């Protein structure tokens, strides 16, 4: 499966082994991996870091880059039968959108669906300008952290709450499913779930990404 | 230090606790509030050391090592480690050849991912009722759901008890259908020694946080019997661009946990056997039925209530269940509903929006998908008269804790009048499947 996908050019460098091992040990020791409810306690920390970094209010995490693309599109009602315009779509993006039943167009009247920032160890200390540039081209950002080497992980960031709500609805046990667990009532009945995928991120992966973002200015 | 270490031990249980006043009425709880916590997964030094080793290795190799180790453990021919159980089911379906517009038969009682994976494969889930004793897909009802569009049958090993794969295989072969397993609850479960996941043509299995074999968040694995199906799944990943890869961090945790899985399985089996035997001494409660030759993995433990054996059959069964739930929760046993609505009654199957604009449901020429709840009387009955112990029994708990659980059930059983009073008082209670559906 890996052969079709982007393999990180750089593996985790030796100087990061201790800090990453320490954070993984801390998360394992805390009990947060025991359940989805507790997983959420760790995931919120990364969401806040990304919101601060991107200066957006709403962040949704995904366990794959294509999951985040799906969330970005679904959040804007770009669904099966819709059209979308992308900046410079990769072959993987073209294939994925085709699989979703979304037609790519080049019509400049159609706003660009999302802008992507691929985060790696090489550009960690230059993220702010890259994000600023991306935000100028689209209202929804997709941040792909996969090249950091912790496994597939990505996020969407947006200022529109509705985009976030719909993206969360796409996830099995996203924010709304968890609420219904305890209340037994749909809190947003007008935002009904349709097809749902399990795009939930592991708190262990989230903790590694969060630590890396926190220390990004010491990178390189 | 932030830690999940449980510092306070349980007191050794005493039989006379059964005669104490109910906690709900102000008496002492069988398990006091400050000793109710249980942990799972158990994090051992081996988990940390494995993580320290794996961080220095190539991530893909760590995932491959895990995939191969677990494939061998299960006895499957081919495996693909994935990011989640849902994605593993999706891959299993696509791998065995399910195509857009095909119909796939699944049980009405399961976790929603079983049916959402069918939609992800752009196929139509056709729900069939459960067996009233095992709570798994009822083979006797499967045949009448088969149409010219049916491609596969995907039973679920509910709570860890394998479905009747022998009967389902006979039906599948008769109609040239593929047989899949949703083995998400059934790590190490088996039929005559053959482990769940290796019996069907394909299988998907969740390895997420709430499972007997968790990988530290979300994870899954798809299994295949035939090389051609495995290749088809890999080819699908290439052509669709979908990234379903498992993180090496999850795989590393899986490697060290796999080593201890048989130990935890043995404790779970010991605890479940003890509780089932003790419940046989009550009138109201009974534990899961396990057919001869079947090995139940007890990811969950569903307790059946028989109100008629306690003279409570003049009351609505779901009211009795609700009263018992309140009473036993107060005693420190968190028995609860797991699922309150059959899956066809969940919003994604009521609205059938799918990927958008009704796809793939729009591919079907059906006027009636058969999703109305009245088609599933056994599921409804089971939801009305059972309670489930989830992570509290999944955990390899101490023997004194399982003894305390048994005493709590006995204490409730000894107080039918309290059940009656509470059940009568709850006049505004609605039957659970008329409330909004919850996922777990």
């Amino acid at each position: 499966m890996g052969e079709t996908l982007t393999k990180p050019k750089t593996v985790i460098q030796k100087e990061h082994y201790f800090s990453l091992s320490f954070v993984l040990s801390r998360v394992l020791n805390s009990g947060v991996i025991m359940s989805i409810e507790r997983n959420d306690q760790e995931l919120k920390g990364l969401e806040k870091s990304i919101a601060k970094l991107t200066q957006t209010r709403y962040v949704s995490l995904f366990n794959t880059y294509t999951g985040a693309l799906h969330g970005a599109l679904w959040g804007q009602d770009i669904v099966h039968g819709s059209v979308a315009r992308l900046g410079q779509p990769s072959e993987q993006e073209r294939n994925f959108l085709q699989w979703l039943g979304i037609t790519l167009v080049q019509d400049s009247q159609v706003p660009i669906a999302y802008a992507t920032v691929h985060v790696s160890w090489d550009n960690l200390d230059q993220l702010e300008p890259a994000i600023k540039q991306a935000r100028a081209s689209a209202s929804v950002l997709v941040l792909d952290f996969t090249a950091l080497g912790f496994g597939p992980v990505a996020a969407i960031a947006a200022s529109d709450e509705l985009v976030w709500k719909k993206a969360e609805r796409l996830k099995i046990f996203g924010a709304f499913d968890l609420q219904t667990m305890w209340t037994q009532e749909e809190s947003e009945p007008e935002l009904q779930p349709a097809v749902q995928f399990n795009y939930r991120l592991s708190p262990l992966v989230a903790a590694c990404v969060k630590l890396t973002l926190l220390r990004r200015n010491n990178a390189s | 230090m932030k830690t999940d270490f449980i510092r306070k031990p349980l007191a050794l249980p005493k039989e006379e606790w059964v005669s104490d006043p109910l906690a709900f009425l102000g008496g002492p709880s069988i398990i006091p509030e400050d000793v109710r916590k249980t942990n799972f997964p158990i994090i051992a030094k081996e988990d940390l050391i494995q993580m320290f080793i794996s961080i220095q290795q190539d991530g893909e190799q760590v995932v491959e090592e895990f995939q191969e180790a677990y494939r061998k453990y299960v006895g499957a021919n081919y495996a693909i480690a994935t990011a989640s159980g849902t994605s593993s089911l999706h891959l299993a379906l696509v791998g065995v050849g399910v195509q857009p517009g095909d119909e796939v038969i699944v049980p009405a009682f399961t976790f929603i991912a079983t049916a959402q994976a069918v939609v992800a494969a752009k196929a139509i889930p056709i729900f069939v009722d459960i067996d009233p004793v095992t709570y798994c897909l009822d083979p006797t009802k499967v045949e009448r759901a088969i149409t010219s569009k049916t491609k596969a049958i995907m039973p679920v090993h509910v709570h860890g008890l394998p479905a009747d794969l022998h009967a389902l295989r006979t039906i599948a072969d008769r109609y040239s259908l593929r047989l899949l397993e949703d083995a998400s609850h059934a790590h190490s479960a088996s039929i005559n020694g053959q482990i769940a996941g290796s019996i069907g043509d394909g299988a998907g299995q969740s390895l997420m946080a709430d499972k007997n074999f968790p990988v530290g968040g979300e994870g899954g694995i798809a299994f295949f019997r035939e090389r051609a199906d495995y290749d088809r799944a890999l080819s699908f990943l290439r052509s669709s661009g979908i990234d379903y890869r498992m993180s090496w961090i999850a795989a590393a945790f899986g490697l060290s946990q796999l080593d201890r899985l048989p130990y935890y399985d043995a404790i779970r089996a010991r605890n479940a056997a003890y509780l089932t035997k003790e419940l046989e001494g009550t009138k109201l409660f009974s534990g899961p039925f396990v057919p001869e030759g079947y090995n139940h993995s007890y990811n969950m433990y569903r307790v059946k209530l028989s109100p008629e054996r306690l003279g409570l059959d003049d009351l609505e069964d779901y009211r009795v269940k609700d009263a018992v739930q309140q009473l036993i929760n107060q005693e420190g046993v968190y028995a609860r509903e797991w699922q309150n609505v059959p899956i066809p009654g969940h919003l994604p199957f009521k609205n059938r929006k799918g990927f958008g604009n009704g796809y793939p449901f729009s591919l079907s020429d059906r006027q009636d998908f058969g999703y109305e709840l009245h088609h599933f009387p056994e599921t409804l009955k089971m939801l009305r008269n059972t309670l489930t112990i989830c992570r509290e029994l999944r955990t390899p708990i101490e023997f004194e804790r399982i003894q305390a659980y048994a005493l709590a059930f006995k204490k409730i059983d000894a107080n039918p009048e309290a059940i009656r009073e509470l059940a009568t008082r709850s006049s505004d209670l609605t039957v659970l499947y008329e409330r909004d559906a919850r996922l777990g």
Side-chain angles (χ1 to χ4, degrees), chain B residues 72-97:
Chain B
K72 278 185 182 163
Y73 176 86
V74 169
N77 292 340
Y78 303 95
I80 304 174
T82 63
S84 71
T86 316
S87 51
S88 74
L89 290 166
H90 181 191
L91 277 189
L93 286 156
V94 171
V96 302

Side-chain angles (χ1 to χ4, degrees), chain B residues 8 29-37 329-332 401:
Chain B
K8 192 169 179 188
S29 299
I30 295 279
I31 305 176
E33 211 159 343
D34 60 346
V35 284
R36 287 178 188 173
K37 193 177 158 191
N329 286 178
Q330 288 289 319
E331 298 297 340
R401 189 174 296 274

Side-chain angles (χ1 to χ4, degrees), chain A residues 1-7 12 17 20-21 24-25 28-39 41 63-66 74 79-81 92 95-96 99-100 146 149-152 172-173 177 180-182 184-186 192-198 200 202-205 208, chain B residues 1-4 38-41 43 48 51-52 55-56 58 60 80-81 83-84 86 90 111 113 116 119-120 122 208-210 216-218 236-245 247-249 253 334 340 347-348 351 353-357 359 391 435-440:
Chain A
M1 153 161 54
E3 67 201 49
T4 63
L5 302 159
T6 313
K7 186 172 176 179
I12 300 166
Y17 287 171
L20 290 167
S21 297
L24 287 168
S25 305
L28 286 172
N29 198 52
S30 68
V32 303
I33 63 164
M34 147 173 230
S35 65
I36 46 171
E37 298 91 333
R38 293 195 190 186
N39 284 182
Q41 294 168 12
N63 59 14
T64 65
Y65 174 53
T66 50
W74 187 264
V79 299
H80 193 278
Q92 185 185 10
N95 289 340
F96 185 61
W99 180 74
L100 289 175
T146 307
F150 308 126
I172 289 180
F173 272 130
D177 288 346
T180 314
M181 277 286 286
W182 308 118
Q184 308 258 306
E185 274 180 30
E186 286 285 337
Q192 293 201 0
V195 70
Q196 288 180 302
F197 290 78
N198 193 332
R200 285 179 59 84
S202 161
L204 293 165
V205 177
C208 290
Chain B
M1 184 196 298
K2 196 174 177 188
T3 174
D4 60 354
T38 57
N39 269 345
F40 193 70
I43 310 297
L48 300 182
M51 207 61 84
F52 300 158
I55 199 169
Q56 301 177 59
D58 178 275
E60 283 186 16
I80 304 174
S84 71
T86 316
H90 181 191
F111 182 65
Q116 286 286 25
V119 181
K122 302 180 177 175
M208 61 87 72
D210 277 350
E218 295 293 339
F236 165 75
L237 288 169
R238 281 191 290 273
S239 64
S240 66
I242 296 175
D243 186 355
Y244 272 162
R245 288 175 300 165
S247 159
W248 68 262
I249 297 173
F253 188 67
Y334 190 49
N340 64 323
L347 287 172
N351 65 37
K353 288 180 183 174
F355 282 71
N357 296 308
Y359 187 88
R391 79 177 60 120
R435 303 198 293 267
D436 285 343
R438 46 184 262 186
L439 289 195

